[in-house]
Amino acid sequence: MDEVEVVVAHSERATLRVGDVFLKVDPDRTRMDVEVDAMDLAPVPTPAVLWRKPPVLAIAAVPGTALGRLGEPSSASTAAWAAAGAALRKLHDAPLPPRSGRAGRSVVALAAELDGECERLVTNGLLPVDLVTRNRQVAEAALRPWTPAFTHGDLQIAHVFVDGDEITGIIDWSEAGQGDALYDLATLTLGHEEHLDDVVAGYGTDVDLEVIRAWWSLRSLLGVRWLIEHGFDPFAPGCEVDVLKSRM
C-alpha cells in the first residue's frame, strides 16, 4: 500500500502525495478554481486533473524531477534551464487569463505592502535595518509600469519538472493570472543567479536584469516574516536572507 507523504503543510493549505496522485487541500475555493482554469489554459505541460471535490483537488504526478530546490545546487543542465526560459516565454505570449494573479498586484498596492513589511521586519528585530534599507532601495526598480502577461505567479524551481533537457510539467498554479512577466523570471531564478543567463537565453528576448534583481529583493523582503510564521526557514543557506545579503 502506498504511503502518504506530506509534501507541504501550513495553516493556509496542504499537499499530500499518495503514489502518483497529489491531493491538494485548500479551503479557499477561489484558489482551486484559479489553479484548474490556469492549467487548462496554459500552453505548457501541466499535471492532469483527476478529480476535484472541494476542499480537495487530485492531480496526477508529472514525470521527471524538479529543476532544483531553493538553498541547494541544481543538478539540472544548462539546456534544461534554457528550456524553462523557453516555456516561460510561451506562457507569457499566450492569451491573457480572465483574472489578475499574484504577479499582477498594482504598483501602488505593492509599494504600500512592501513599506509596511520593511517596517515590521525592523521593528520586530527580524532583520538588520541596513539590510532592509538597502534591499528596499534595490526593490524600487520593480515598481514600474508593465504590460500584462499570462503569469504563473509562484514559479519556484521546485514547481518546474524536467526529464533530461525537456520540461515535463509545471505545477502549483493557484497564484496564476495576469501579471508582470519579470516576476516569473525572478521567482524561477531566486537564489540561483548563476542560471539567470541560461533562463534569459531560453526566453529569447532582452529583459531588464535590474528589474529581475529588484524582484529578488522585493519577493524576499515580503517573504521572510510569512515563512517564519508558517514554519519555514528563510535564514537557511542560499535562501531568502542570503538573497538579501547578496545585494549588499
Side-chain angles (χ1 to χ4, degrees):
M1 182 175 180
D2 290 316
E3 294 183 351
V4 176
E5 174 191 355
V6 179
V7 179
V8 63
H10 49 75
S11 60
E12 292 183 4
R13 67 192 97 168
T15 300
L16 311 175
R17 180 170 186 168
V18 185
D20 289 332
V21 177
F22 285 89
L23 301 176
K24 305 190 73 171
V25 184
D26 192 336
D28 187 334
R29 183 160 183 167
T30 298
R31 260 196 310 248
M32 186 180 295
D33 291 342
V34 167
E35 178 152 20
V36 172
D37 291 346
M39 288 192 293
D40 184 56
L41 294 171
V44 295
T46 61
V49 175
L50 302 177
W51 51 265
R52 60 185 299 194
K53 186 175 181 180
V56 182
L57 171 66
I59 61 176
V62 297
T65 57
L67 189 63
R69 302 281 178 185
L70 184 62
E72 301 175 8
S74 171
S75 61
S77 67
T78 295
W81 280 91
L88 256 186
R89 179 59 185 271
K90 190 173 184 180
L91 176 67
H92 293 162
D93 285 345
L96 293 175
R99 300 180 176 94
S100 179
R102 178 70 174 170
R105 288 165 290 175
S106 75
V107 170
V108 173
L110 193 59
E113 180 183 359
L114 178 60
D115 288 339
E117 193 61 32
C118 287
E119 182 178 352
R120 284 186 286 272
L121 288 170
V122 173
T123 301
N124 295 338
L126 295 176
L127 293 177
V129 63
D130 59 337
L131 185 63
V132 172
T133 299
R134 170 57 182 159
N135 278 276
R136 176 61 183 85
Q137 293 169 347
V138 174
E140 186 68 26
L143 303 175
R144 86 284 177 227
W146 41 267
T147 301
F150 189 159
T151 55
H152 179 279
D154 190 23
L155 199 69
Q156 305 172 44
I157 54 173
H159 294 165
V160 180
F161 281 71
V162 297
D163 184 1
D165 299 337
E166 302 293 327
I167 302 298
T168 55
I170 298 176
I171 66 171
D172 285 0
W173 292 80
S174 61
E175 306 287 354
Q178 297 182 30
D180 179 1
L182 296 191
Y183 181 90
D184 276 350
L185 287 165
T187 304
L188 178 65
T189 54
L190 182 77
H192 287 272
E193 185 170 0
E194 70 277 11
H195 293 293
L196 178 59
D197 288 345
D198 302 328
V199 171
V200 171
Y203 195 70
T205 187
D206 290 336
V207 298
D208 191 330
L209 299 182
E210 181 183 2
V211 173
I212 289 179
R213 294 185 177 101
W215 272 120
W216 289 340
S217 290
L218 201 159
R219 181 181 170 98
S220 297
L221 286 170
L222 291 183
V224 167
R225 188 171 58 88
W226 185 96
L227 290 166
I228 292 171
E229 291 176 353
H230 288 81
F232 301 100
D233 185 9
F235 292 89
C239 293
E240 285 79 5
V241 174
D242 275 355
V243 171
L244 294 172
K245 290 178 178 178
S246 72
R247 299 301 104 193
M248 298 297 287

